[in-house]
Amino acid sequence: MSVETAPAVLEVRNPADGSLVESLPIDDARAVNEIAAELRMAQVGWEAIGPEGRAAWLHRWRDWILAHADELTDLLVSETGKARPDALIEPVASCEFISYYADNAAAFLADDHVKPAGPMSLPKKLTKVYSPYPLVGIITPWNFPITLFLMDAAPALAAGCAVLSKSSEETPLACARLIEGWHEIGAPAVLASVTGLGETGAAVVDAADYVQFTGSTATGRKIGVHCAQQLKPYSLELGGKDPAIVLEDADLDRAVNGIAWGGLFNSGQVCISVERVYVAEPVYDDFVKRLTAKVDGLSQGAGAGSDVGAMVTTAQVDIADRHVREAVEAGARVLTGGQRGRAGNFFEPTVLVDVDHSMSCMTDETFGPTIPVMKVADEDEAIRMANDSPYGLSATVWTKDVDRGQRVARRLEAGAVNINDVFSNLFAAPLPHNGWKESGVGARLGGAYGIHKYCKVQAVTAPRMPTMKNELMWYPYSARRTAVAGFVAKAVSGRGLRQRLGLGGKAAR
């Protein structure tokens, strides 16, 4: 993987005003490898204490996080520029991932005794056995430093893995403090974080036995190629351009409130943020009027009373600004917002209309507080436009007819669809969180899958009854033994009496 030369110190600045929050030393590849070696040694004992023992430590960690929620929220506000209500959700709600996997680890990791597929395997006991990858590398982006870490760290730790975390260089503080909490409760030394830029992330990829990456599609491709070259398993959650479909029978009050929040929460910097809206023609004008009034009434700033906060990076503000300007130049109209802030990484909550798929605001990931709205003739056109994208992370459908919403959901090319809601799949741990098309490879969460992904699965066969000294198909071969073996194979593999007896004819289905 290509990497950039890293400076010796990383400066973390507040996106709202540019002030220096903290300076941190950068971990180079040698430091990463040393930490990884220590984690591997500790992992042996961590796996040995079993799922119940690990669950006890995870529960204590959850309690520490809840007790330090205000401190963690302060760190999130300072390094991300989030509005405080947006930041508070992270440490509190994310504890659900710890509870879910700690409580279910024993059941999910139990030996899985499966039924034989047919007569050939009937004499055997068939078992799937799960054992953890020793070291999992988790690389997270800057938009949700705690949530996206815990979504992966909780099941990995519950599985018996050690975890090496690398947060975005823009937001390393809150996650590092979270990991300090693990050590403050006296838990086994199977969790660590490293700080740095591309070189540090590349070292984590090389050091780990399994890599979980959340971030841009471009970087995800590079990591996927690198892991494939090493025959190393990986999972990627990448970009998104999530559509919302508002049908003519929707509850417009709920649709407006949900889409406004789903498009602007965390300044639109959410992997499953509503990034484009398709509204059926009969209700289009009414919806646009209500949405514009809703967004126009929101407050923006860094204080606790603000609805919409700052964006984490200047580069992301530039993208939002460019998408809006390009749309206006191509004929779109800004109904509210549309301007970047005079200071700090702010961009006004924005509603765009008269948009189409020739515009970057409808086709490229904005990851900012903009809501472009497009009029469509009917349900079929809405679905066609929603699917006209290289991305497929999630989508929302708004209709009073839930059965209709279910039918529409099954026609959408997205890993998750929320009917009359936004983000609800994100905290439904029994469901997989996965992207289709260019939005990812693999999944996180998904009940037992979320913990099995961090395990190697072993197939074990054992006899159900006393065995013979020699099997029919073992050496030595002879014409008689071969004929008998062929007859037996047909008898057990065929379907229908004539086929089992080798008499030909159509088999019973």
Side-chain angles (χ1 to χ4, degrees):
M1 297 174 65
S2 61
V3 297
E4 67 267 33
T5 302
V9 175
L10 185 69
E11 292 187 345
V12 181
R13 294 189 175 273
N14 188 320
D17 58 17
S19 61
L20 180 65
V21 180
E22 191 170 343
S23 295
L24 301 172
I26 284 178
D27 296 302
D28 60 15
R30 175 180 293 183
V32 170
N33 291 332
E34 290 175 352
I35 293 169
E38 293 172 356
L39 290 170
R40 287 181 181 279
M41 287 189 291
Q43 185 272 335
V44 176
W46 178 244
E47 180 182 357
I49 66 175
E52 291 85 358
R54 296 192 292 270
W57 284 113
L58 286 165
H59 287 145
R60 290 182 63 183
W61 191 33
R62 175 199 60 201
D63 295 344
W64 183 95
I65 294 170
L66 291 174
H68 291 76
D70 287 341
E71 177 190 356
L72 293 168
T73 300
D74 290 341
L75 283 172
L76 286 169
V77 170
S78 67
E79 68 178 345
T80 69
K82 293 176 186 277
R84 190 171 184 83
D86 291 356
L88 182 61
I89 290 176
E90 278 212 63
V92 176
S94 300
C95 284
E96 175 65 20
F97 303 124
I98 299 176
S99 297
Y100 179 77
Y101 280 105
D103 294 345
N104 290 284
F108 290 162
L109 293 170
D111 290 354
D112 189 1
H113 301 288
V114 299
K115 294 180 180 179
M120 292 289 285
S121 56
L122 189 60
K124 302 295 183 182
K125 295 178 181 178
L126 309 180
T127 307
K128 290 191 290 185
V129 178
Y130 300 97
S131 59
Y133 289 105
L135 181 60
V136 170
I138 297 176
I139 301 176
T140 53
W142 39 257
N143 57 328
F144 286 97
I146 288 178
T147 297
L148 292 172
F149 167 70
L150 285 179
M151 287 178 75
D152 299 311
L157 288 167
C161 312
V163 171
L164 178 57
S165 170
K166 193 274 180 187
S167 297
S168 166
E169 60 271 20
E170 306 287 348
T171 57
L173 302 178
C175 188
R177 179 63 183 131
L178 195 76
I179 292 172
E180 285 180 3
W182 176 267
H183 297 285
E184 286 181 10
I185 64 173
V190 291
L191 181 58
S193 65
V194 291
T195 302
L197 304 175
E199 179 187 2
T200 306
V204 170
V205 171
D206 285 335
D209 301 303
Y210 187 106
V211 177
Q212 169 64 53
F213 170 80
T214 306
S216 72
T217 298
T219 303
R221 276 199 178 96
K222 294 177 182 178
I223 289 176
V225 168
H226 195 66
C227 288
Q229 290 173 335
Q230 298 182 0
L231 298 180
K232 180 180 296 186
Y234 63 92
S235 180
L236 310 172
E237 188 204 299
L238 308 176
K241 190 69 179 177
D242 290 6
I245 293 176
V246 181
L247 299 174
E248 71 280 357
D249 63 346
D251 178 336
L252 290 189
D253 285 334
R254 181 169 179 83
V256 164
N257 289 331
I259 288 171
W261 188 69
L264 303 177
F265 174 74
N266 199 37
S267 295
Q269 301 167 117
V270 186
C271 58
I272 55 175
S273 177
V274 174
E275 290 226 358
R276 50 197 172 111
V277 185
Y278 303 97
V279 184
E281 185 173 8
V283 296
Y284 173 82
D285 290 338
D286 194 6
F287 175 86
V288 167
K289 180 180 179 180
R290 297 186 194 203
L291 179 66
T292 302
K294 180 75 176 183
V295 173
D296 190 52
L298 299 177
S299 62
Q300 186 173 37
S306 300
D307 296 311
V308 181
M311 300 174 71
V312 175
T313 70
T314 303
Q316 210 59 49
V317 179
D318 292 341
I319 292 173
D321 186 39
R322 175 171 59 83
H323 283 187
V324 171
R325 285 188 290 102
E326 289 175 350
V328 171
E329 290 169 3
R333 292 183 294 133
V334 175
L335 298 187
T336 185
Q339 300 294 321
R340 64 192 306 154
R342 295 180 180 178
N345 294 341
F346 289 96
F347 194 86
E348 293 176 342
T350 301
V351 175
L352 282 166
V353 294
D354 298 338
V355 295
D356 59 44
H357 279 215
S358 69
M359 302 174 184
S360 56
C361 69
M362 292 294 285
T363 59
D364 299 345
E365 186 175 30
T366 306
F367 222 60
T370 64
I371 306 178
V373 186
M374 180 175 173
K375 182 191 299 183
V376 293
D378 52 24
E379 173 186 310
D380 288 338
E381 185 181 12
I383 293 169
R384 185 170 66 254
M385 301 308 292
N387 289 338
D388 181 26
S389 173
Y391 299 109
L393 197 54
S394 76
T396 67
V397 179
W398 303 84
T399 171
K400 291 178 182 176
D401 185 344
V402 175
D403 290 337
R404 183 187 186 190
Q406 293 273 9
R407 293 192 297 272
V408 171
R410 284 155 175 77
R411 297 174 62 191
L412 293 174
E413 297 169 357
V417 179
N418 297 310
I419 299 170
N420 296 330
D421 207 348
V422 289
F423 303 165
S424 54
N425 65 296
L426 192 62
F427 289 94
L431 291 176
H433 182 60
N434 62 314
W436 294 8
K437 299 191 279 189
E438 293 186 16
S439 287
V441 175
R444 47 160 60 102
L445 304 179
Y449 172 86
I451 206 167
H452 288 166
K453 68 180 276 188
Y454 294 117
C455 295
K456 297 165 285 186
V457 60
Q458 184 179 53
V460 178
T461 70
R464 290 183 182 275
M465 57 193 71
T467 56
M468 302 179 292
K469 292 186 179 297
N470 199 17
E471 294 286 336
L472 182 62
M473 284 301 298
W474 292 359
Y475 298 130
Y477 290 154
S478 69
R480 180 175 179 277
R481 287 167 64 89
T482 299
V484 172
F487 178 82
V488 172
K490 286 182 179 179
V492 299
S493 300
R495 295 296 183 267
L497 180 61
R498 292 181 60 83
Q499 195 177 70
R500 290 182 188 277
L501 294 177
L503 299 177
K506 293 184 178 179
R509 293 184 181 274

